[in-house]
Amino acid sequence: MPNPNVALVRGAVTSPFKRAGRPGAALPADRIVLPAAPAAPGPLDAYRRICGFTDPGPLPLTYPHVLGFPAALRLMTARRFPLPVVGLVHTWIEITRHRPSHPADPLELTVYADELTPHRRGTEVTVVTEARLAGDLVWESRSGYLSRHRTPAVPTPGPDTAPAPDRTAPEPPALAEWRLPGDLGRRYGAASGDRNPIHLYPLTARLLGFPRPIAHGMWTLARCLAETPRPAEVHGVRADFRAPVLLPSTVTHAADATGFRLRGADGRVHLTGRTLRTPAPKAEPGT
């Protein structure tokens, strides 16, 4: 397994020599493959606890992304990767579970960069993670990471230029208020292996432009999914990370049958998402 701490140091060293938005920039064709292995029980249990997953059965929907993150970080900090990893912002993720995976399943993980797309605020890269069991694709994710830089006045068509969502759609009902402690980033980082300095301490967050540490976007998503009724029926999710959650803070979790969102005490929306569920089987006549 690639060491994420080594990758973070390499990213800090190489980022000043990379220029996002450079004409003709191309993604390397590298694919990082992690050999098939089951999930380690200790880290998985710690992840379940910090995110609120209580079902001891299948892997949480988000967990293969966590397993593949060290490889993704290694990919994005490589010398040939065109974007500086410092300042790279996780903006969205789509996850599809083709069939449930269990802790004992030896999953083979493949990570690669798929697209480099102009964005109205810079350049966005799509990173793909795939999980296979005995050669069959059982899980996959696509994540968008944004590198901000100056762009032309007229944005190039892309994912961020799609029509705005319908503001007349009803808001999902508020279900719970969560008080997030200041050390949440350190605790989640210990469970997930993502120890990006913006999540850890006030000083390291300020060095990267934040007044306080911010919660991991993947924690906010996982925490919302942990509250989803009948999580075994959820086979896919699309989430958009709208604004960082400063720590400590209080947030409100709202959800309905198909979607969820996380809102701050000031009304700011931090996360929106929608889930895809397996249809319930139809009852046989006479049952």
Side-chain angles (χ1 to χ4, degrees):
M1 178 71 72
N3 188 321
N5 294 326
V6 172
L8 283 172
V9 172
R10 181 171 61 244
V13 171
T14 59
S15 287
F17 301 98
K18 298 181 180 183
R19 183 167 63 88
R22 177 171 52 85
L27 290 170
D30 302 357
R31 287 178 175 242
I32 299 177
V33 179
L34 302 182
L44 175 57
D45 289 345
Y47 180 83
R48 290 188 196 271
R49 287 195 300 272
I50 193 65
C51 296
F53 291 107
T54 57
D55 184 355
L59 292 177
L61 182 64
T62 48
Y63 198 62
H65 178 90
V66 171
L67 294 176
F69 179 74
L73 192 58
R74 175 180 171 184
L75 181 79
M76 292 187 288
T77 57
R79 182 174 57 84
R80 291 189 297 161
F81 191 78
L83 303 179
V85 73
V86 174
L88 209 60
V89 179
H90 196 182
T91 51
W92 58 269
I93 186 169
E94 294 178 347
I95 298 175
T96 302
R97 177 166 58 190
H98 299 288
R99 73 178 201 227
S101 302
H102 296 81
D105 290 342
L107 296 180
E108 179 189 83
L109 298 170
T110 302
V111 179
Y112 59 95
D114 186 45
E115 294 179 89
L116 203 60
T117 309
H119 185 286
R120 66 184 179 86
R121 293 181 178 173
T123 301
E124 188 174 75
V125 63
T126 300
V127 176
V128 179
T129 303
E130 299 173 341
R132 287 178 170 79
L133 180 62
D136 293 333
L137 183 66
V138 297
W139 181 101
E140 59 185 312
S141 74
R142 297 176 65 84
S143 285
Y145 295 90
L146 174 64
S147 180
R148 295 179 179 176
H149 58 82
R150 288 187 175 184
T151 59
V154 178
T156 304
D160 203 54
T161 60
D166 182 6
R167 302 298 182 186
T168 64
E171 289 273 335
L175 302 180
E177 186 177 87
W178 299 334
R179 298 183 184 276
L180 311 185
D183 67 346
L184 176 62
R186 297 193 293 277
R187 292 165 54 200
Y188 179 81
S192 67
D194 183 355
R195 293 184 172 87
N196 188 321
I198 62 175
H199 305 299
L200 303 182
Y201 300 99
L203 177 60
T204 56
R206 283 196 295 270
L207 291 174
L208 295 170
F210 293 93
R212 304 198 304 273
I214 64 172
H216 293 72
M218 287 303 297
W219 178 87
T220 64
L221 172 57
R223 186 70 185 88
C224 289
L225 290 175
E227 295 297 317
T228 301
R230 305 182 307 281
E233 297 177 7
V234 177
H235 65 83
V237 65
R238 160 75 191 215
D240 292 278
F241 305 108
R242 301 290 187 182
V245 179
L246 296 175
L247 298 173
S249 65
T250 299
V251 294
T252 298
H253 171 235
D256 57 21
T258 61
F260 54 88
R261 67 178 53 203
L262 207 62
R263 190 183 292 275
D266 59 358
R268 192 178 194 189
V269 175
H270 297 290
L271 170 74
T272 61
R274 61 183 183 273
T275 55
L276 299 174
R277 288 181 173 271
T278 304
K282 294 182 179 179
E284 294 293 334
T287 61

